[in-house]
Amino acid sequence: MSHDAVIIGSGAGGAAAAYELTRLGLSVLVLEAGPRFEPATDYPHDEAGWERRRFPRKAGSVAEIRYGDLGRTGPHDPALPSWNAVQGAPPSPDGRRQPGGGYSHVRGVGGSTLHFVGEAHRLHRDAFGLASALGAGADWPLSYEVLAPFYLQAERLIGVAGPERQTGRPRDAPFPFAAHPLNTAARRLADAGVALNLPFEANSRAVLPVSRDGRPPCNYCGQCSRGCPIGDKGSADQTFLRHAARSGRMTLLAEASVLRLHPGRDGSIAALDYRHRGRTHRRETPMLILAAGAVQTPRLLLHSACPGMPEGIANGSGEVGRNFMETLSWHGTGLVPGLRDSHKGLPADAVCWAQNGPDGVPGAAGGCRFTSSVQEIGFTGPIAYAQRLLPGFGAAFKDVMRARFGSALTVGATGAVIPDGRSRVRLDPDRHDPDGVPLPVIDSVLTENSLTLLAHMAGVGRRLLSECGVEPVAEQISSWDRFTATHAFGTARMGTDPSRSVTDARGRSHDHPNLWITDASVFPASGGGEAPALTIHALALRAAQHIVAG
Amino acid sequence: MRTIGGPLRTNDRAIDRRGLIGLAAAALSGLAPLPAAGGDRAVAAATLDAFLDTLLPADAASPAAGAAGVGPEIRAIADGADDPRLKRLLALGTEWLDGLDARPFAALPATVRTRVLAWMEGADRGAVPGRFFLVVRTLAVEIYYARAEAIAGFPISVAPQPAGYPPPWG
């Protein structure tokens, strides 16, 4: 069976592309390397012991990643290293570590949206012109206004709930739903923010407050990152892919790993090889959309090098794999006397955008944002309190656990990353996966800008915690010594100059007329800490419309 | 270079011990080289159970760690761990506990056992007693507080679903 388009990856970008192409009448084949997940059985959260279960792993659902240069940890601000009140500080290495898996991702039908918290963020309007404004990083080759209609389209399809107005993000129409209520920790943080001139507002969330489109409303279990068993979270499998499947024009193969792309004589990508159920298949690609994410997309492009393209597919600029941008983050947690029920409600329910613009932080480029993150970071059950926040033992310890459970409050801060020549995704020269494809290697080094931002985020975070009444700070997790990227960007960036970018402003490869990239690898700039999923959706919807328009 | 990701597993609803094993492995980081085994030392189960019951004793609302089955699960984790240091640490730690007095640790009065744990809690984590305390505590609280009977009196449901936590809150 032939299809009008082949899409590699079914995460945020692949799913949105599949949805829009099928909506506009095209047939698509989606090749997803990972497995399917069944929410009701794979992440039920309905039994004792739920806290010991993370987002489930299935065969093929986590890619093998190698880590190269993650940078050195030098002289530092005492507020920067990671530690907690129970474990203390780990032995100080010379370099950053990647505990808990490093690049946090899910390979599966729905991609990393399956385990995302579901923040639905537009980029700050001014983030599109970072380089022009501050001489740092790169500009987007399009404006907020160009992307706005596609943001709105995605918000409506998903059912995003958000406030009437959002700092730095002008709107032509309201969110489909009003914002979710703030939980106890978020309300305390919002009060503290007023005192420090750091106003918090309700976060925009891809989570339904009411039934819609066959999906129920959220019941505020607080476990978004463990997977949503009831379907209120707007992950790609529950939204874009459901609609694409209903069209009858989508074929989705799970556990289908693309091995290599084959260029044709006319400069297009003629075909690809993929492995499915133990056999290798070749499929022609009249139109090819690559949406495998900022690590796997460059990996495939580089691996598909051939005699006529020794630097890889779509790599006339030499930028494939380069400009890798990780997630710059700082989280501080403590217990607040008298606070209760902080484990209840919607994770990441409140956000402060006051410093999110490109010039939002003095002395650093790109900006940052602050979030109420107590559930997002895992303080929703007693195990986390016992392992991280509350030392001690015996009867007294058990009494304290009982008395203080539910009183944790976390300030999460996420900031911009400026691309650096040392940060990239490359191919391992020695190690391969079982299909013979070289493993990807991530190099990611913190620049002076990142360190300045991080110190600022930590300082503001601690002031917020103090204003909230935290006594004392019991945990700190920081990118300074931990590489734990949940968001990764930049490794096939878009731009107007083919010598310095991989795709044009629509996401189409400069080098191959039928190759489009619709994932976060096309981001020329990370933004000031925004979650990227909504921007990926918008870019993919726009790219799909351009594909159909020819 | 370091590798993350590896053996691929079939999903089921069983507890994922990889996280706990990973935590234990991380807690072993920086531990001074353990004394030579001099033959395989066994983990003294009764000693470990007494340690656990001192760590997490029974109270009016909830059972002790022993009654909650924590000891056998820790020993099973140690038996199944790729890193042999975990089992050796348990063996050396229980041997150390039993060597404090002519009586085995489990036979000591509760007040004495409590003082021992208090000392271990503040001891050098680069050596066996301090590291044993840290590692066993890390494992024990995860296993214990995953039990429904352990969270009696907590403002939390046994599981977040199917009821969730609809507002109002606080």
Side-chain angles (χ1 to χ4, degrees):
Chain A
M1 179 183 180
S2 65
H3 297 81
D4 297 315
V6 179
I7 301 174
I8 301 174
S10 68
Y19 162 78
E20 190 66 354
L21 290 174
T22 55
R23 189 182 73 82
L24 295 175
L26 270 62
S27 63
V28 304
L29 169 66
V30 180
L31 299 173
E32 167 54 54
R36 292 183 186 273
F37 285 85
E38 176 51 53
T41 53
D42 287 334
Y43 16 91
H45 315 322
D46 59 359
E47 293 178 338
W50 63 271
E51 195 181 357
R52 296 183 68 184
R53 299 184 184 94
R54 314 295 192 258
F55 188 87
R57 285 183 70 167
K58 293 187 168 188
S61 73
V62 177
E64 192 172 354
I65 307 288
R66 302 272 284 167
Y67 296 88
D69 183 7
L70 298 180
R72 317 302 288 175
T73 51
H76 60 83
D77 180 334
L80 292 184
S82 302
W83 62 274
N84 67 50
V86 176
Q87 306 286 333
S92 300
D94 291 332
R96 292 200 295 161
R97 300 166 291 124
Q98 70 288 349
Y103 171 49
S104 176
H105 66 280
V106 174
R107 288 203 318 183
V109 176
S112 291
T113 67
L114 296 175
H115 79 154
F116 80 165
V117 164
E119 295 179 297
H121 293 160
R122 299 186 179 195
L123 287 174
H124 191 289
R125 183 177 179 275
D126 296 339
F128 291 81
L130 176 68
S132 295
L134 298 180
D139 286 342
W140 288 74
L142 56 124
S143 66
Y144 177 92
E145 285 72 21
V146 165
L147 206 55
F150 302 96
Y151 275 135
L152 190 60
Q153 181 185 3
E155 289 164 352
R156 285 176 170 168
L157 186 280
I158 294 167
V160 173
E164 284 187 24
R165 275 178 291 278
Q166 270 192 322
T167 306
R169 293 147 180 84
R171 301 188 60 85
D172 294 326
F175 281 103
F177 298 107
H180 289 271
L182 302 188
N183 86 344
T184 57
R187 295 200 300 263
R188 182 67 68 100
L189 192 50
D191 289 342
V194 169
L196 297 179
N197 196 27
L198 291 165
F200 278 76
E201 57 192 66
N203 204 352
S204 44
R205 302 285 272 98
V207 172
L208 293 178
V210 296
S211 295
R212 193 245 206 171
D213 192 26
R215 293 161 51 206
C218 179
N219 64 5
Y220 302 105
C221 75
Q223 306 305 322
C224 304
S225 298
R226 284 187 165 88
C228 180
I230 64 175
D232 62 87
K233 188 177 80 170
S235 52
D237 58 327
Q238 298 297 316
T239 56
F240 296 101
L241 291 175
R242 279 178 68 227
H243 284 270
R246 279 186 203 156
S247 74
R249 288 185 281 275
M250 180 182 76
T251 303
L252 192 156
L253 292 184
E255 300 176 76
S257 297
V258 177
L259 306 178
R260 180 178 286 272
L261 308 181
H262 297 284
R265 291 201 184 97
D266 60 351
S268 66
I269 304 302
L272 58 78
D273 294 334
Y274 69 95
R275 192 153 181 84
H276 184 239
R277 293 182 180 166
R279 294 179 54 200
T280 300
H281 306 263
R282 179 160 295 191
R283 175 62 67 115
E284 289 184 354
T285 52
M287 191 65 64
L288 178 62
I289 295 98
L290 181 49
V295 174
Q296 301 296 337
T297 281
R299 178 190 182 207
L300 180 61
L301 294 175
L302 293 172
H303 173 60
S304 298
C306 56
M309 298 174 194
E311 301 303 321
I313 297 284
N315 200 19
S317 64
E319 296 292 333
V320 171
R322 296 192 177 274
N323 310 300
F324 177 81
M325 291 173 277
E326 64 174 82
T327 313
L328 189 72
S329 67
W330 182 94
H331 290 80
T333 302
L335 302 178
V336 179
L339 188 69
R340 298 185 309 168
D341 290 353
S342 69
H343 57 293
K344 300 178 180 179
L346 192 64
D349 49 354
V351 63
C352 174
W353 294 118
Q355 299 180 349
N356 168 245
D359 58 354
V361 175
C368 65
R369 54 106 166 184
F370 300 91
T371 315
S372 180
S373 297
V374 61
Q375 295 153 300
E376 184 181 4
I377 206 167
F379 292 113
T380 56
I383 294 173
Y385 278 68
Q387 287 183 334
R388 294 158 64 182
L389 300 181
L390 289 170
F393 68 95
F397 163 72
K398 291 182 71 175
D399 287 342
V400 168
M401 280 285 292
R402 212 169 271 127
R404 307 223 57 188
F405 177 78
S407 69
L409 185 147
T410 303
V411 174
T414 315
V417 174
I418 307 299
D420 181 85
R422 296 166 292 175
S423 299
R424 59 187 296 193
V425 172
R426 52 188 169 89
L427 298 181
D428 193 318
D430 302 314
R431 303 281 290 264
H432 301 75
D433 69 11
D435 293 322
V437 181
L439 296 180
V441 180
I442 295 176
D443 298 320
S444 189
V445 178
L446 295 182
T447 63
E448 285 303 314
N449 192 80
S450 287
L451 291 170
T452 301
L453 263 178
L454 204 50
H456 173 83
M457 287 152 51
V460 171
R462 283 177 162 262
R463 290 206 304 277
L464 283 166
L465 288 170
S466 177
E467 190 66 31
C468 286
V470 161
E471 15 170 283
V473 176
E475 180 181 86
Q476 181 170 277
I477 299 174
S478 164
S479 292
W480 182 80
D481 53 357
R482 291 191 180 193
F483 175 84
T484 54
T486 50
H487 308 147
F489 318 85
T491 50
R493 69 181 183 183
M494 56 169 51
T496 55
D497 183 354
S499 71
R500 301 182 64 229
S501 57
V502 177
T503 80
D504 65 15
R506 300 166 297 170
R508 177 171 150 176
S509 163
H510 289 302
D511 301 339
H512 309 286
N514 69 332
L515 173 63
W516 298 70
I517 302 176
T518 61
D519 60 34
S521 59
V522 302
F523 282 44
S526 68
E530 294 90 335
L534 192 70
T535 300
I536 296 170
H537 294 324
L539 291 169
L541 293 171
R542 179 168 177 265
Q545 290 194 7
H546 279 293
I547 289 171
V548 172
Chain B
M1 286 184 281
R2 292 137 287 177
T3 303
I4 301 294
L8 306 173
R9 301 179 190 230
T10 303
N11 180 60
D12 58 30
R13 289 178 63 161
I15 298 298
D16 183 349
R17 285 182 172 171
R18 273 175 303 213
L20 195 53
I21 292 173
L23 268 181
L28 290 169
S29 176
L31 176 63
L34 293 171
D40 278 335
R41 286 184 172 88
V43 178
T47 306
L48 180 62
D49 288 344
F51 178 91
L52 292 169
D53 282 349
T54 310
L55 192 77
L56 296 166
D59 59 22
S62 54
V70 175
E73 184 160 351
I74 288 179
R75 291 195 296 278
I77 288 169
D79 284 339
D82 291 336
D83 190 338
R85 292 182 302 164
L86 179 58
K87 191 171 181 180
R88 287 181 63 202
L89 178 65
L90 295 182
L92 288 166
T94 52
E95 182 179 304
W96 180 85
L97 287 167
D98 283 337
L100 291 172
D101 189 89
R103 296 163 289 178
F105 180 77
L108 297 175
T111 53
V112 174
R113 285 188 270 118
T114 298
R115 286 204 300 271
V116 170
L117 264 68
W119 182 88
M120 293 172 78
E121 185 179 29
D124 176 11
R125 289 178 173 178
V128 167
R131 191 61 62 116
F132 177 91
F133 181 94
L134 175 66
V135 172
V136 173
R137 184 188 185 281
T138 299
L139 298 171
V141 295
E142 173 154 336
I143 298 164
Y144 182 77
Y145 281 108
R147 305 279 201 258
E149 58 269 33
I151 60 171
F154 278 71
I156 189 172
S157 305
V158 169
Q161 293 286 354
Y165 294 112
W169 306 305

